[in-house]
Amino acid sequence: MPTKVAVVTGSNKGIGFAIVRGLCKRFDGDVYLTSRDINRGQNAVAELNNEGLRPKYHQLDITDPKSVEKFRDYLKENYGGLDILVNNAAIAFKVNAPEPVIVQAEQTLFVNFYSVLSTCQILFPILRNGARVINITSSCGHLTKIKSEKLRNRFKDPNLTIEGLSSMMQEYIDAAKQGTHAADWGNSSYAVAKVAITALSKIQQRMYADKDIIVNAVNPGYAATDMTLHKGPLTIDEAARAPVYLALDAPDSVKGQYVWKDKSAISWEEELADPDYII
């Protein structure tokens, strides 16, 4: 039997780091902490080593397909496949960021949607039977964050494809360039990207409906991280609970779902009783 392997992208700090910690404590296999910056990644590994945990490390920049391909080849050669993939890496501009809307739109979508999609397309072919994919979204990834009913209907169309979703993201960028985005899409590029990640998770699950591969999107909750300027009420370990649950404990019936911080699958389309705002 080959050794099982789990990968968490962007995991040298924050919620990703805590997910690695949680997996190291319970996963029956190797857990990879990954980061763009090698020094930061190795320092994070050393911190977990001091706790008695033994994560592995590999450099990974999801914005660089060559970096992802190199990691894919490494996993294929050393493990023959991949068992758990947590797509955690993301960026966020602060509320009062000085960058123009179009810069925020292009950069946020490039990292938080297009680079996550590219990473999936490169790594999914090596997913083993029984693999679980957890795409980290947000309460901002709830469909009600999109103002236009027409757009919401397109997002939830059961026939939406990856190509169609990617085209929608380009429409958003074009609208941001023209300054017409707010009326239909809202004012947050982060929210648009996370809604797209939730939609992507549902599309991916449909694509793998005839295989033993489970894909879910999860809102880990509003945690105290660099991304939130440490304003969130949750610790990173509390925010890691739902992602770790989906990786290790959730029944196979939980698939293609939008999962909340309390581990419950909630409606992606209906108004939320608990808005639980993040960024």
Side-chain angles (χ1 to χ4, degrees):
M1 284 286 289
T3 302
K4 286 188 173 184
V5 59
V7 169
V8 185
T9 68
S11 50
N12 61 287
K13 63 179 182 177
I15 296 172
F17 177 80
I19 294 170
V20 170
R21 178 190 274 140
L23 290 174
C24 280
K25 289 178 179 178
R26 295 190 46 223
F27 180 59
D28 182 22
D30 289 345
V31 181
Y32 275 82
L33 185 153
T34 68
S35 64
R36 284 182 299 175
D37 184 280
I38 292 175
N39 286 335
R40 289 179 181 174
Q42 290 177 339
N43 288 340
V45 166
E47 186 176 337
L48 290 173
N49 287 165
N50 288 337
E51 298 176 16
L53 302 174
R54 295 290 176 264
K56 305 280 189 180
Y57 177 74
H58 202 285
Q59 192 274 342
L60 179 65
D61 180 355
I62 68 165
T63 69
D64 178 3
K66 285 188 170 56
S67 172
V68 184
E69 288 167 358
K70 182 178 179 182
F71 188 34
R72 174 202 61 199
D73 294 345
Y74 171 86
L75 292 170
K76 205 170 176 182
E77 181 179 343
N78 289 276
Y79 297 93
L82 177 58
D83 300 285
I84 293 173
L85 173 61
V86 182
N87 286 306
N88 169 75
I91 64 166
F93 285 88
K94 305 311 175 198
V95 174
N96 297 317
E99 291 84 356
V101 168
I102 183 53
V103 171
Q104 295 189 39
E106 288 180 331
Q107 292 187 13
T108 301
L109 269 290
F110 172 64
V111 177
N112 294 8
F113 176 73
Y114 288 110
S115 295
V116 173
L117 172 59
S118 172
T119 297
C120 288
Q121 290 172 327
I122 293 167
L123 294 181
F124 272 32
I126 67 168
L127 290 173
R128 273 196 275 258
N129 282 340
R132 294 191 171 195
V133 178
I134 298 92
N135 294 325
I136 303 296
T137 181
S138 157
S139 60
C140 285
H142 195 274
L143 193 55
T144 54
K145 296 296 181 182
I146 302 298
K147 288 188 173 182
S148 160
E149 183 180 2
K150 186 176 179 182
L151 284 173
R152 292 197 300 270
N153 287 336
R154 289 173 66 191
F155 271 115
K156 65 184 180 183
D157 182 348
N159 297 311
L160 182 63
T161 62
I162 286 176
E163 293 74 19
L165 181 59
S166 297
S167 295
M168 290 180 71
M169 294 303 96
Q170 187 58 51
E171 287 175 34
Y172 168 70
I173 290 171
D174 291 342
K177 277 182 185 171
Q178 295 160 12
T180 60
H181 61 287
D184 291 334
W185 297 90
N187 283 312
S188 170
S189 296
Y190 183 84
V192 171
K194 289 303 188 181
V195 168
I197 286 296
T198 310
L200 176 64
S201 305
K202 292 177 178 292
I203 295 169
Q204 290 172 331
Q205 186 61 71
R206 292 199 294 270
M207 289 170 59
Y208 286 89
D210 60 344
K211 297 189 178 179
D212 184 18
I213 292 171
I214 291 175
V215 185
N216 286 294
V218 61
N219 161 35
Y222 190 24
T225 66
D226 288 351
M227 190 180 278
T228 66
L229 300 177
H230 296 273
K231 291 178 179 176
L234 300 182
T235 67
I236 57 173
D237 292 298
E238 288 170 337
R241 286 176 186 166
V244 171
Y245 165 77
L246 289 173
L248 302 179
D249 303 318
D252 290 348
S253 57
V254 180
K255 56 174 63 176
Q257 297 295 319
Y258 178 54
V259 177
W260 213 238
K261 59 185 180 180
D262 64 357
K263 307 176 187 175
S264 63
I266 68 164
S267 170
W268 183 47
E269 302 163 13
E270 298 170 8
E271 287 288 347
L272 297 172
D274 170 18
D276 182 18
Y277 180 73
I278 175 171
I279 323 182

